[in-house]
Amino acid sequence: MKRDDFISLILTNIAIGEVFQNPGGGTSTIKRFDNEKIVYQRGNSDITLKMEKIYNAYEAFQGNFVTTNDLKKFDNSFDSTARNPSGHSCNCTFSFLLLAKAGLAKEIIKHGRVFGTTFI
């Protein structure tokens, strides 16, 4: 899938103020988005995730079962403990939720001590 088609599909399936129930508890609320990034609120924090990062992960794992650990190893944007630069671990399950909403991932499941889904 081309990057522009991917972004369009994601953005047409979400709305400002939409609340996602995180599989590990709590919620993520979409605050704003454009073709470059999505800003969501998790707890009292605003977290930014670049669309390019979601697209790259989708392309790399399409057709496979992927876990939060896989995403953390793939790109620092998905890992709060990474260095130079660090990202945010909430970006893992948030990406899963976005992809599932757009029909690009299956239901998120608990897989051992992590969460995972299949990228369609």
Side-chain angles (χ1 to χ4, degrees), residues 49-93:
L49 179 59
K50 292 181 180 180
M51 293 298 294
E52 175 185 9
K53 301 298 183 175
I54 304 168
Y55 176 73
N56 290 343
Y58 178 76
E59 284 289 300
F61 294 105
Q62 185 179 10
N64 295 298
F65 183 80
V66 58
T67 68
T68 51
N69 281 345
D70 294 329
L71 289 183
K72 289 176 183 181
K73 291 175 188 172
F74 178 72
D75 189 294
N76 286 357
S77 298
F78 300 102
D79 190 354
S80 299
T81 63
R83 297 289 177 252
N84 297 326
S86 67
H88 205 291
S89 296
C90 290
N91 286 339
C92 293
T93 52

Side-chain angles (χ1 to χ4, degrees), residues 6-109:
F6 175 87
I7 292 170
S8 178
L9 183 60
I10 296 289
L11 298 183
T12 58
N13 280 284
I14 61 174
I16 303 293
E18 185 168 0
V19 178
F20 289 93
Q21 297 296 321
N22 294 309
T27 61
S28 293
T29 304
I30 297 177
K31 298 198 69 181
R32 62 187 173 277
F33 57 83
D34 58 33
N35 287 347
E36 299 299 318
K37 65 185 177 297
I38 297 176
V39 179
Y40 65 99
Q41 184 175 4
R42 174 92 165 110
N44 293 323
S45 300
D46 285 353
I47 302 170
T48 300
L49 179 59
K50 292 181 180 180
M51 293 298 294
E52 175 185 9
K53 301 298 183 175
I54 304 168
Y55 176 73
N56 290 343
Y58 178 76
E59 284 289 300
F61 294 105
Q62 185 179 10
N64 295 298
F65 183 80
V66 58
T67 68
T68 51
N69 281 345
D70 294 329
L71 289 183
K72 289 176 183 181
K73 291 175 188 172
F74 178 72
D75 189 294
N76 286 357
S77 298
F78 300 102
D79 190 354
S80 299
T81 63
R83 297 289 177 252
N84 297 326
S86 67
H88 205 291
S89 296
C90 290
N91 286 339
C92 293
T93 52
F94 183 71
S95 294
F96 291 169
L97 292 165
L98 285 176
L99 291 170
K101 180 81 191 270
L104 298 172
K106 294 184 178 181
E107 181 180 349
I108 301 167
I109 62 169

